[in-house]
């Protein structure tokens, strides 16, 4: 088999256009204009329902944007509950298949958002215990958002009280911080930093415009802001020990929350079963690495990996090499009729170089609508420059560009804005990252890797995806530390130490959901299983299969199967 077929065959799946006019481009080539027949002329009934909700959600978040705001929580809870009630007015049994999918997906999404509000509020409340005096100020900021009048004398009392409370808390904790979790301290620092920005806007709104405020309150605000800065630094540097930007401090959610997240994504496995799947996949990758290394004359795949790390584009030539790789992948999938790549999609992406600071968390390419390239900058220390060069060699890069652009994320983005755009509300990494990872499976099977060096480049990343499952789930269940995760990436995958640390730092920084890193390979395995059912059986061509997935929009991968096989979902997907 071309990859862990046994695992994929056993990976169970749950049984579960709007017309977008494209403005003419003066520089557009004739073949970049789609035939009229390709433009959907209408949407199913509930598409407009979901789009209206999304617009209302944007309006609600626009006016309720204060960090840890109680009004924000109340408004969002009322919005989700109200739209759930509105949804129930539809007769599910009379809906078309697409509308039944929309109904079930929307109901699932609202219930999840309500649960998430409860979870986030609980974690914020834990952080607020370290931030005495802050809740009344949060209320002040929300009152301004509600366009209510200010009472300067009362506001001054609240500001002075908060300043004193934070000063006393800092003094107390400096003498005795026993029992304070570094994780919660860092969470409190981040909350305080977010609110500090909110309150700076609050002050700017009144200072110099309201004479009473300017005379009575502005000076007290300045003292408070200084205390915000001091206290945040104390929480971050002294309690959380995170003064070094390279420090890794995660915020594990616990096994129960991991299980709940998997249920939401319709993954019918326990965390331990998923860890076992990842171990099987990693073992398969290492066997394939051994075979490719033998083709190169090495007895150890790590030796072969070391040799390709030394083969990179000339200094300054990486951008041109990325363009070459992008064209190579487009030609491969187009010439084999694997997926429809609209002419405009081939050219409407941009390239950005990742800053040295950003590469502390993202040492490799990133992408989506565009591609962001990791590459040494002359401000980096020599060791980090070398790590960046080795980690973005020719063969690693060749296996990444198609993931980020076409047929990966850029092609997804292109379709998502043109077909069923309302379904971006249901976006999930199991669909987004799973699709891009699935293509790594398919391209490997179809011979995209022409040499053992190119095979190793692709296998390195597949090993990385399996390892991500291992360390992310294990960390959040409390069975692996950040340092153990780094060691795993270095020993089992072959990462450079600096790059391994950056990957773990990125995974645990709080910018991704706890099971996001597991979604790459798990989503890819799900897509692969559906392909075995529908394409390998002869029911669909590769092109029809891939186009149908892209045009259906984001959703849990098991629901993709329901849509492609014509199966009606239950009223709620669970």
């Amino acid at each position: 088999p071309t990859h862990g077929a046994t695992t994929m065959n056993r990976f169970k799946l749950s049984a579960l256009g709007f017309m977008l006019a494209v403005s003419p481009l003066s520089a557009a080539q004739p073949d970049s204009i789609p035939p009229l027949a390709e433009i959907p002329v209408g949407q199913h009934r509930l598409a407009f329902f979901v789009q209206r909700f999304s617009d209302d959600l944007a309006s609600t978040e626009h006016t309720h944007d204060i960090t840890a705001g109680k009004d924000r929580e109340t408004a969002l809870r009322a919005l989700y509950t109200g739209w759930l009630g509105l949804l129930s007015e539809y007769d599910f049994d009379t809906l078309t298949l697409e509308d039944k999918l929309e109904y079930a997906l929307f109901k699932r999404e609202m219930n999840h958002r309500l649960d998430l509000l409860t979870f986030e509020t609980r974690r914020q409340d834990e952080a607020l215990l370290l931030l005495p005096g802050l809740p009344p100020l949060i209320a002040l900021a929300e009152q301004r958002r509600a366009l209510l009048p200010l009472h300067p004398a009362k506001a001054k009392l609240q500001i002075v009280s908060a300043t004193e409370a934070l000063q006393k808390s800092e003094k107390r904790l400096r003498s005795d911080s026993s029992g304070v979790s570094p994780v919660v301290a860092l969470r409190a620092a981040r909350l305080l930093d977010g609110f500090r920005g909110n309150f700076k806007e609050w002050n700017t709104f009144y200072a110099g415009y309201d004479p009473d405020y300017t005379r009575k309150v502005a000076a007290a605000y300045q003292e408070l802001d200084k205390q915000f800065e001091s206290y945040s630094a104390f929480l971050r540097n002294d309690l959380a020990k995170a003064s070094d930007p390279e420090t890794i401090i995660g915020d594990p959610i616990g096994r129960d929350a991991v299980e709940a997240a998997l249920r939401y994504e319709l993954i019918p496995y326990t965390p331990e079963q998923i860890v076992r799947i990842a171990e099987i996949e990693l073992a398969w990758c290492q066997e394939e690495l051994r075979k490719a290394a033998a083709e190169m004359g090495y007895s150890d795949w790590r030796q072969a990996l070391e040799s390709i790390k030394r083969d990179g584009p000339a200094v300054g030539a990486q951008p041109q090499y990325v363009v070459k790789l992008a064209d190579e992948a487009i030609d491969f999938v187009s010439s084999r009729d694997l997926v429809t790549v609209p002419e405009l999609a081939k050219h409407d992406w941009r390239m950005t170089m990742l800053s040295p600071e950003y590469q502390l968390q993202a040492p490799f390419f990133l992408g989506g609508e565009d591609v962001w390239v990791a590459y040494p900058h002359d401000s980096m220390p020599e060791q980090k420059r070398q790590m960046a060069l080795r980690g973005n060699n020719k063969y690693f890069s060749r296996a990444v560009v198609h993931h980020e652009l076409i047929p990966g994320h850029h092609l997804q983005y292109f379709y998502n804005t043109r077909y069923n755009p309302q379904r971006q509300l249901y976006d999930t990494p199991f669909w987004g990252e799973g699709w891009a990872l699935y293509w790594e499976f398919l391209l490997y099977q179809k011979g995209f890797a022409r040499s053992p060096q190119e095979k190793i480049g692709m296998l390195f990343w597949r090993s990385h995806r399996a390892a991500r499952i291992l360390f992310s789930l294990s960390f959040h269940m409390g069975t692996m530390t950040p340092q153990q995760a780094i060691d795993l990436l270095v020993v089992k995958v072959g990462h450079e130490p600096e790059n391994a640390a950056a990957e773990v730092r990125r995974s645990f920084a709080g910018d991704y959901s706890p099971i996001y890193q597991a979604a790459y390979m798990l989503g890819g395995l799900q897509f692969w299983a559906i392909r075995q059912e529908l394409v390998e059986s002869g029911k669909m061509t590769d092109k029809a299969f891939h186009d149908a997935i892209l045009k259906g929009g984001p959703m849990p991968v098991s629901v993709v199967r329901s849509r492609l096989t014509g199966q009606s979902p239950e009223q709620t997907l669970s």
Side-chain angles (χ1 to χ4, degrees):
T2 56
H3 55 84
T6 301
T7 299
M8 284 182 288
N9 290 340
R10 290 163 60 187
F11 193 92
K12 298 182 297 181
L13 289 165
S14 301
L16 294 174
F18 178 65
M19 185 171 84
L20 181 63
V22 180
S23 300
L25 302 176
S26 58
Q29 299 298 318
D31 56 1
S32 72
I33 308 302
L36 188 61
E38 290 185 7
I39 300 178
V41 296
Q43 281 183 307
H44 49 278
R45 187 178 175 191
L46 261 65
F48 295 102
F49 176 93
V50 176
Q51 186 57 58
R52 172 59 187 271
F53 165 80
S54 297
D55 292 339
D56 285 3
L57 174 62
S59 294
T60 303
E61 291 181 327
H62 179 66
T63 52
H64 294 279
D65 63 343
I66 304 302
T67 301
K70 294 301 181 185
D71 288 354
R72 176 184 179 277
E73 180 194 357
T74 299
L76 288 173
R77 195 173 293 279
L79 183 75
Y80 303 151
T81 304
W83 278 83
L84 267 175
L86 196 61
L87 181 72
S88 67
E89 295 181 21
Y90 287 99
D91 183 352
F92 181 82
D93 292 335
T94 65
L95 298 175
T96 64
L97 175 61
E98 289 290 347
D99 277 327
K100 285 180 177 179
L101 287 169
E102 209 75 62
Y103 185 109
L105 286 166
F106 187 83
K107 186 173 183 179
R108 164 185 171 274
E109 182 67 23
M110 293 305 99
N111 284 321
H112 175 65
R113 284 173 176 263
L114 286 167
D115 290 342
L116 202 57
L117 273 180
T118 301
F119 180 73
E120 289 174 348
T121 299
R122 185 173 69 249
R123 287 162 71 87
Q124 287 173 356
D125 288 346
E126 290 175 351
L128 285 170
L129 291 175
L130 293 175
L131 301 170
L134 203 66
L137 303 185
I138 292 173
L140 271 180
E142 289 203 305
Q143 287 163 20
R144 183 181 80 83
R145 275 285 182 259
L147 307 178
L148 297 175
L150 176 71
H151 301 287
K154 183 179 178 181
K156 180 180 179 179
L157 288 175
Q158 291 171 316
I159 288 172
V160 170
S161 176
T163 304
E164 292 174 349
L166 292 172
Q167 288 170 342
K168 289 178 181 178
S169 180
E170 182 175 342
K171 183 178 180 180
R172 177 178 58 81
L173 291 172
R174 282 189 183 278
S175 63
D176 181 14
S177 61
S178 59
V180 176
S181 162
V183 169
V184 177
L186 185 58
R187 195 191 306 160
R190 289 170 172 165
L191 191 158
L192 183 56
D193 289 342
F195 179 70
R196 185 185 179 198
N198 296 147
F199 214 53
K200 186 169 289 187
E201 290 182 7
W202 178 87
N203 172 71
T204 302
F205 184 82
Y206 299 110
Y209 298 101
D210 183 326
D212 205 17
Y213 175 90
T214 306
R215 184 173 62 255
K216 296 179 180 179
V217 187
Y221 164 79
Q222 295 300 332
E223 288 302 312
L224 173 70
D225 190 62
K226 291 177 185 177
Q227 184 57 37
F228 278 170
E229 183 176 19
S230 168
Y231 194 58
S232 174
F234 167 70
L235 291 170
R236 187 181 304 276
N237 301 337
D238 295 75
L239 295 189
K241 309 297 183 186
S243 57
D244 185 344
E246 298 189 36
T247 299
I248 302 171
I249 300 178
D251 198 347
I253 62 173
R255 190 184 187 285
D256 289 347
V258 170
E259 280 199 313
L262 291 170
R263 286 196 300 271
Y264 167 68
E265 295 290 355
L266 309 180
I267 304 297
Y269 288 92
T270 67
E272 291 78 14
Q273 288 172 320
I274 291 173
V275 166
R276 180 57 186 149
I277 289 170
E279 290 171 342
I280 293 170
E281 289 295 323
L282 185 56
W284 178 87
C285 289
Q286 291 186 331
E287 177 60 19
E288 289 293 297
L289 282 166
R290 186 193 63 76
K291 294 176 185 177
E295 289 185 59
M296 295 172 62
Y298 294 102
S299 59
D300 187 332
W301 63 263
R302 292 173 182 82
Q303 296 173 328
L305 193 65
E306 174 61 27
S307 73
I308 72 171
K309 286 181 179 180
R310 296 195 295 264
D311 189 359
V315 176
Q318 186 81 315
Q320 290 73 35
Y321 185 61
V322 171
V323 174
K324 173 181 177 294
L325 295 178
D327 290 342
E328 199 171 80
I330 291 169
D331 290 345
F332 190 92
V333 299
S334 297
S335 64
R336 288 160 179 77
D337 217 25
L338 297 178
V339 64
T340 299
V341 183
E343 193 64 28
L344 186 59
K346 298 177 184 178
H347 310 290
D348 73 328
W349 54 271
R350 299 186 299 188
M351 190 188 312
T352 301
M353 305 301 286
L354 286 170
S355 70
E357 296 76 21
Y358 206 95
Q359 289 184 63
L360 289 174
Q361 289 195 22
F364 308 108
F365 289 30
L366 294 176
E369 182 180 2
D370 301 315
V371 65
W372 303 341
V373 180
Y375 197 68
H377 187 271
D378 61 14
S379 68
M380 290 179 174
E382 180 60 24
Q383 181 186 16
K384 292 190 184 299
R385 287 169 53 83
Q386 289 303 315
M387 291 285 184
L389 280 171
R390 289 164 59 79
N392 294 279
N393 59 72
K394 287 182 180 178
Y395 305 105
F396 287 7
S397 297
R398 187 174 188 270
V400 170
V401 171
H402 65 75
H403 179 108
E404 304 298 354
L405 292 176
I406 295 173
H409 294 324
H410 177 72
L411 191 63
Q412 288 175 297
Y413 177 87
F414 189 91
Y415 273 88
N416 286 351
T417 56
R418 291 161 173 80
Y419 296 88
N420 284 303
Q422 81 284 351
R423 286 184 177 157
Q424 293 179 69
L425 178 68
Y426 317 129
D427 193 26
T428 163
F430 287 79
W431 190 90
E433 300 294 1
W435 166 267
L437 195 281
Y438 156 83
W439 277 98
E440 293 182 32
F441 291 163
L442 188 58
L443 292 179
Y444 191 86
Q445 183 203 56
K446 291 190 174 294
F448 185 66
R450 302 160 297 188
S451 67
Q453 290 87 346
E454 291 179 353
K455 288 180 182 178
I456 288 175
M458 295 189 78
L459 290 167
F460 170 83
W461 284 113
R462 190 180 300 183
S463 301
H464 174 68
R465 313 305 187 191
R468 271 182 166 175
I469 296 176
L470 293 175
F471 77 69
S472 62
L473 293 191
S474 298
F475 170 78
H476 281 290
M477 290 191 295
T479 60
M480 184 177 287
T481 66
Q483 185 57 53
Q484 288 172 327
I486 292 170
D487 294 342
L488 172 70
L489 289 176
V490 172
V491 175
K492 293 291 188 179
V493 180
H495 271 289
E496 298 294 302
E498 293 276 356
N499 293 343
E503 274 294 303
V504 173
R505 188 179 302 113
R506 173 189 174 200
S507 299
F508 299 160
D511 300 326
Y512 295 91
S513 69
I515 62 170
Y516 190 101
Q517 305 301 356
Y520 289 76
M521 181 160 280
L522 294 179
L525 291 170
Q526 287 182 293
F527 277 121
W528 188 265
I530 302 174
R531 183 179 184 276
Q532 298 298 106
E533 179 183 356
L534 299 180
V535 177
E536 293 299 325
S537 67
K539 295 177 182 176
M540 298 181 78
T541 65
D542 265 317
K543 190 173 190 176
F545 175 67
H546 297 135
D547 288 1
I549 292 171
L550 288 170
K551 291 179 179 179
M555 62 185 71
V557 184
S558 62
V559 186
V560 172
R561 180 178 180 272
S562 294
R563 181 175 178 271
L564 296 186
T565 58
Q567 296 178 8
S568 176
E570 298 298 326
Q571 292 192 29
T572 181
L573 302 177
S574 60

